């Protein structure tokens, strides 16, 4: 039988029980829609995490102090005060392939200005910090090399701090007091929002690291060193060179520092969302299989109902293969149409979710293609048994069937 | 007259259980090309089983079946299907048309399953010619549910004819029809037979059997009688007689 005819006959058979066909396909529709919606939401979350990691800057390597143990009490990660400005300068001097470097200090303090006060994070950084973090200023300027060298009392402030301390005044040129020391505000940073740890990145005051060491923290040790490699390809080597250099500078003592790169951080952060996406997709996939069983069920009913028709076709010369093809095509049409409707529903649902909840949603063509291919495969798989049952009917028995 | 059907000691045993049913017990039979044969017998006499064997819907347990001189007793499922498609035409008691499928499409059905591919125009043309033979060209686009019993049976006959088979096999073709329509159908058969088609028909009605040339009677799986029809009825004359009787009944009423 010609293929066009097979499709015509299959469509006619499906139309004859239109409601039943739609209800049968509903299993696949819901399954495919669920897979697409879940994977889209998962991918959206993943891309958001990736974007937030990218916003930390490119090709970043961080050096942290190691842990500090005294009298058997282990202080935990970063507790040692072993990282010095000299370490940072040595790295800058001796390691090739570094685009920028910023020694980092970090503290929290109460900040006063404009008759208001606010507890915020005080970061000591080098001038290149904003370039490394791909961060810009909405107003004013960054402090200068000279400010860093002279440990000047200047700062740039995050958007949140600006809003809290200067709700209706221009902060540029004003001063704020950190631990009773006045700092002149030279710039306001562009809003960067929350990072993927849920911290408000705009709730910060950035001052030269030299000023931080001398005036705020009053200790010589750095909290970390932020390094940017020139290219992604150089990251591994730079990381190794930094490790070797610092080790060498410690003259064979136990290593009291840790060198990490952004890649590790990104992998750890995306691993969670990846697991989540796979899990959601798998659960939705189960509903696809349930839909497939629904198709098998209805195809079995259909074969029984149409036993006489099968008998007629066999009597006038249809081969078993012709009957098999016909029922298989019917099952595939059911599942593929279900798949197509499911794609529409799934894409629609993900858009709706993204609108209503303000979640990032990423509809991937791979998910769409995969879901449709999978539903066709389900049609073949679950349609095969009923179709084979039909093809193996005895023409005499089938003709006699009431 | 060359034999188109030759049965040599055909047996059919059903069931492999404890009580096998011996439905056909050694039938030998020759049917010549162009014959019009009626097979009669009580229910359970094995006539339907014999018909299924003749129609290549079933295989004999024992014996040889030569169709147009070729042994078909050992063919497989698909080879039998091709034989049914090309050399045999079936007409059933219950018409067995596909519902919600037009008369023309029903007639086209065997052509769709032929091993030869035809252009759809060719298929359509042959279906219409076939419908023309049974006088139903104007009903080509009707669905079976819109046709009377007699018309449905004519569609079934047109379907049986489309691949120009040598033999037409009819299983109680008039069983579901009133007597006047039955005579009309017998008229169609006689016309086809006059044109050279061999017809084998099952019936349990003696007067229907009288339209045939030869009557076989089966009992307990064996042929017990094989006689030519002496006073053969011709459908047109009978139809005239029925119409006249009807008219007379109308007048007297």
């Amino acid at each position: 039988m010609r293929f066009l005819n097979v499709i015509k006959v299959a469509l006619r058979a499906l139309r004859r029980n239109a409601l039943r066909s739609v209800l049968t396909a509903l299993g696949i529709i819901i399954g495919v829609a669920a897979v697409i919606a879940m994977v889209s939401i998962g991918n959206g979350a993943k891309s958001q995490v990736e974007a937030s990691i990218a916003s930390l800057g490119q090709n970043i390597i961080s050096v942290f102090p190691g842990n500090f143990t005294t009298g058997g009490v282990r202080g935990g990660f970063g507790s040692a005060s072993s990282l010095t400005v000299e370490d940072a300068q040595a790295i800058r001097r001796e390691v090739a392939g570094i685009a920028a470097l910023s020694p980092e200090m970090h503290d929290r303090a109460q900040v006063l200005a404009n008759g208001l006060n606010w507890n915020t994070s005080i970061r000591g950084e080098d001038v290149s910090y904003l370039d490394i973090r791909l961060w810009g200023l909405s107003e004013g300027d960054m402090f200068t090399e000279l400010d860093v060298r002279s440990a000047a009392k200047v700062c740039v402030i995050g958007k949140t701090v600006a809003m809290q301390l200067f709700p209706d005044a221009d902060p540029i040129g004003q001063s704020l007091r950190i631990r009773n020391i006045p700092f002149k505000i030279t710039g306001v940073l562009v809003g960067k929002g929350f990072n993927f740890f849920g911290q408000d990145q705009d709730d910060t005051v950035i001052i030269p690291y030299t000023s931080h060491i001398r005036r705020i923290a009053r200790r010589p040790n750095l909290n970390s060193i932020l390094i940017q490699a020139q290219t992604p390809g150089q990251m591994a080597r730079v990381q190794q060179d930094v490790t070797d250099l610092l080790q060498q500078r410690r003259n064979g003592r136990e290593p009291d520092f840790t060198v990490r790169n952004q890649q590790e951080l990104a992998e750890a952060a995306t691993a969670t969302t990846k697991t989540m996406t796979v899990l959601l997709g798998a659960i939705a996939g189960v509903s696809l299989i349930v839909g497939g069983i629904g198709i098998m069920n209805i195809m079995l009913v259909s074969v029984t109902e149409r036993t006489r028709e099968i008998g007629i076709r066999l009597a006038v010369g249809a081969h078993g293969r012709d009957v098999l093809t016909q029922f298989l095509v019917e099952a595939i049409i059911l599942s593929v149409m279900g798949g197509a409707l499911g794609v529409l529903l799934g894409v629609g649902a993900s858009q709706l979710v993204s609108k209503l909840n303000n979640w990032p949603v990423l509809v991937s063509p791979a998910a769409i293609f995969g879901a449709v291919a999978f539903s066709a495969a389900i049609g073949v798989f679950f349609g095969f048994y009923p179709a084979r049952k039909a093809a193996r009917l005895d023409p005499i028995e089938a003709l006699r069937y009431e | 007259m060359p034999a188109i059907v030759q049965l040599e000691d055909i047996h059919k045993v059903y069931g492999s259980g404890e009580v096998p049913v011996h439905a056909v017990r050694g039938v030998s039979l020759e049917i010549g090309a162009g014959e019009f044969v009626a097979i009669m017998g009580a229910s359970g006499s094995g006539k339907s089983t014999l018909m299924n064997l003749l129609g290549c819907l079933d295989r004999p347990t024992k014996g040889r079946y030569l169709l147009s001189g070729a042994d078909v007793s050992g063919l497989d499922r698909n080879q039998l299907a091709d034989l049914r498609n090309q050399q045999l035409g079936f007409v059933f008691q219950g018409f067995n048309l596909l519902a919600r499928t037009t008369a023309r499409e029903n007639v086209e059905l065997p052509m769709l399953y032929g091993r030869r591919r035809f252009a759809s125009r060719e298929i359509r043309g042959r279906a219409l010619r076939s419908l023309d033979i049974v006088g139903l060209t104007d009903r080509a686009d009707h669905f079976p549910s819109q046709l009377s019993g007699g018309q449905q049976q004519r569609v079934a006959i047109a379907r049986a004819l489309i691949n120009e088979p040598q033999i037409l096999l009819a299983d109680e073709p008039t069983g579901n029809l009133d007597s006047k329509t039955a005579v009309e159908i017998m008229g169609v058969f006689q016309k086809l037979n006059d044109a050279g088609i061999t017809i084998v028909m099952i019936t349990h009605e003696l007067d229907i059997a009288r339209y045939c040339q030869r009557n076989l009677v089966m009992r307990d799986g064996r042929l017990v009688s094989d006689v030519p029809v002496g006073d053969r009825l011709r459908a047109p004359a009978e139809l005239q007689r029925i119409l006249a009787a009807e008219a007379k009944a109308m007048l007297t009423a």
Side-chain angles (χ1 to χ4, degrees):
Chain A
M1 199 160 169
R2 221 175 301 176
F3 197 65
L4 206 68
N5 270 316
V6 173
I7 288 181
K8 212 168 88 181
V9 170
L11 285 177
R12 182 181 294 163
L14 292 175
R15 242 196 341 257
R16 192 174 306 169
N17 285 302
L19 180 63
R20 192 169 84 183
S21 303
V22 170
L23 289 176
T24 307
L26 201 60
I28 295 290
I29 294 175
I30 291 174
V32 168
V35 167
I36 289 180
M38 292 301 131
V39 171
S40 301
I41 290 168
N43 279 340
K46 199 172 111 204
S47 76
Q48 196 185 32
V49 169
E50 279 166 356
S52 105
I53 286 170
S55 78
L56 292 178
Q58 302 272 304
N59 313 333
I60 291 195
I61 296 165
S62 298
V63 186
F64 299 100
N67 57 328
F68 175 69
T69 305
T70 173
V73 180
R74 300 173 72 200
F77 186 65
S79 57
S81 40
S82 54
L83 222 49
T84 61
V85 177
E86 287 71 39
D87 285 332
Q89 283 164 347
I91 291 169
R92 200 194 316 252
R93 209 168 46 234
E94 293 179 29
V95 176
I98 291 178
L101 181 147
S102 175
E104 296 193 292
M105 294 295 291
H106 187 227
D107 251 325
R108 289 195 75 83
Q110 207 71 17
V111 175
L112 289 77
N114 199 22
L116 295 165
N117 70 89
W118 183 248
N119 188 284
T120 186
S121 113
I122 316 293
R123 310 188 65 94
E125 299 283 353
D126 205 346
V127 181
S128 58
Y129 177 70
L130 293 192
D131 296 333
I132 298 174
R133 293 285 315 273
L134 306 170
W135 211 344
L137 292 149
S138 59
E139 283 177 82
D141 298 300
M142 184 59 173
F143 48 76
T144 62
E145 289 282 354
L146 193 69
D147 292 329
V148 173
R149 244 177 286 149
S150 62
K153 292 184 276 186
V154 289
C155 67
V156 292
I157 60 175
K159 200 174 143 210
T160 304
V161 174
M163 271 175 0
Q164 293 298 335
L165 295 180
F166 303 95
D168 32 42
D170 182 10
I172 304 289
Q174 308 257 21
S175 75
L176 50 74
R177 301 175 79 83
I178 308 169
R179 294 195 179 146
N180 244 347
I181 302 159
F183 280 81
K184 193 174 154 224
I185 299 166
T186 62
V188 178
L189 293 161
V190 171
K192 211 171 171 68
F194 289 82
N195 68 8
F196 59 90
F197 302 116
Q199 293 165 330
D200 180 3
Q201 299 174 87
D202 300 323
D203 188 5
T204 191
V205 174
I206 300 174
I207 62 178
Y209 72 95
T210 46
S211 317
H212 200 293
I213 290 171
R214 200 172 303 165
R215 304 177 198 280
I216 306 295
R218 297 179 195 211
R219 52 179 157 83
N221 310 100
L222 299 172
N223 284 95
S224 56
I225 303 171
L226 189 66
I227 302 167
Q228 182 174 39
Q230 280 166 352
T231 63
Q234 286 177 311
M235 280 184 72
R237 190 191 50 73
V238 169
Q239 187 175 1
Q240 189 57 50
D241 286 357
V242 168
T243 310
D244 291 346
L245 176 69
L246 290 179
Q247 189 56 53
Q248 191 189 324
R249 285 173 59 80
R250 270 140 190 80
N251 271 331
R253 275 182 284 127
E254 284 277 296
D256 54 1
F257 59 90
T258 317
V259 184
R260 298 227 159 155
N261 71 45
Q262 194 187 4
Q263 203 59 38
E264 295 163 359
L265 194 68
E267 271 162 19
T270 49
T272 321
T273 52
K274 215 180 265 171
T275 310
M276 185 96 141
T277 307
V278 169
L279 208 68
L280 288 173
I283 291 169
V286 169
S287 69
L288 256 183
I289 289 174
V290 173
I293 293 170
I295 286 190
M296 179 148 144
N297 187 21
I298 283 303
M299 290 311 294
L300 282 172
V301 170
S302 179
V303 167
T304 308
E305 268 180 4
R306 286 153 65 193
T307 301
R308 232 183 143 80
E309 178 195 323
I310 296 164
I312 296 168
R313 291 181 187 275
L314 290 171
V316 302
H319 285 195
R321 202 182 49 230
D322 296 316
V323 176
L324 183 94
T325 311
Q326 189 188 319
F327 279 89
L328 210 50
V329 164
E330 231 179 277
I332 293 171
I333 289 180
L334 257 185
S335 60
V336 168
M337 283 200 321
L341 287 174
V343 167
L344 293 180
L345 193 69
V347 171
S350 3
Q351 296 304 331
L352 198 70
V353 163
S354 109
K355 286 263 160 28
L356 289 183
N357 297 340
N358 235 339
W359 287 355
V361 166
L362 201 74
V363 180
S364 74
I368 290 177
F369 181 77
V372 171
F374 192 54
S375 60
I378 275 178
V380 174
F381 185 78
F382 289 102
F384 187 76
Y385 174 71
R388 199 187 58 164
K389 198 177 160 207
R392 288 193 174 175
L393 282 176
D394 177 47
I396 300 170
E397 297 285 328
L399 277 171
R400 218 178 278 153
Y401 187 85
E402 292 298 331
Chain B
M1 198 162 52
I4 192 161
V5 168
Q6 282 172 280
L7 299 183
E8 294 172 8
D9 193 27
I10 289 284
H11 288 259
K12 181 68 192 180
V13 183
Y14 282 119
S16 46
E18 284 177 20
V19 194
V21 180
H22 210 143
V24 174
R25 308 164 175 252
V27 169
S28 295
L29 172 67
E30 277 199 15
I31 297 172
E35 275 198 276
F36 190 175
V37 182
I39 302 176
M40 291 185 289
S43 60
S45 61
K47 60 184 193 300
S48 287
T49 305
L50 184 65
M51 197 66 167
N52 289 338
L53 290 170
L54 284 174
C56 293
L57 286 163
D58 211 348
R59 272 171 292 205
T61 315
K62 209 181 104 191
R64 252 160 49 103
Y65 174 15
L66 302 176
L67 182 63
S68 307
D71 191 349
V72 299
S73 5
L75 297 183
D76 69 20
R77 231 174 111 95
N78 287 345
Q79 289 169 317
L80 289 178
D82 289 340
L83 269 186
R84 293 197 295 272
N85 186 257
Q86 292 304 316
Q87 304 201 26
L88 304 168
F90 291 91
V91 178
F92 303 93
Q93 178 176 6
F95 318 137
N96 275 341
L97 299 175
L98 297 181
R100 269 165 268 202
T101 304
T102 63
R104 180 175 57 76
E105 285 171 319
N106 263 294
V107 174
E108 286 171 356
L109 195 65
M111 276 190 95
L112 301 181
Y113 289 119
R115 293 305 114 189
R116 255 187 77 197
R117 298 282 173 101
F118 295 95
S120 49
R121 184 183 302 172
E122 163 90 3
I123 294 177
R124 195 190 166 89
R126 272 173 63 174
L128 289 175
R129 272 207 297 286
S130 210
L131 278 170
D132 186 44
I133 295 174
V134 297
L136 272 182
T137 326
D138 54 335
R139 296 282 191 277
D141 294 322
H142 285 56
F143 292 106
S145 55
Q146 300 168 311
L147 298 172
S148 70
Q151 287 170 328
Q152 287 188 52
Q153 194 61 296
R154 283 161 191 247
V155 173
I157 294 170
R159 179 178 66 192
L161 291 175
I162 193 164
N163 274 339
E164 293 162 354
Q166 295 163 292
I167 311 177
L168 208 59
L169 297 166
D171 191 350
E172 301 218 25
T174 59
N176 284 12
L177 302 172
D178 62 70
S179 55
K180 190 179 136 199
T181 314
V183 172
E184 284 173 9
I185 293 297
M186 291 319 293
V188 173
F189 278 149
Q190 283 188 334
K191 204 174 90 184
L192 293 170
N193 183 237
D194 291 343
I197 296 177
T198 311
I199 299 176
V200 181
M201 182 180 91
I202 286 184
T203 184
H204 58 262
E205 293 166 90
L206 275 170
D207 51 334
I208 291 295
R210 282 175 66 201
Y211 290 89
C212 306
Q213 300 170 347
R214 179 182 170 192
N215 287 356
L216 306 176
V217 179
M218 285 195 74
R219 190 182 301 144
D220 299 330
R222 291 188 178 87
L223 273 181
V224 292
S225 156
D226 181 353
V227 291
V229 177
D231 50 346
R232 196 177 177 209
L233 297 177
R234 297 301 303 191
E238 286 307 303
L239 214 50
Q240 284 289 329
R241 213 170 49 74
I242 291 169
L243 288 175
E246 269 180 9
K248 197 172 161 194
M250 293 266 277
L251 279 176
T252 49

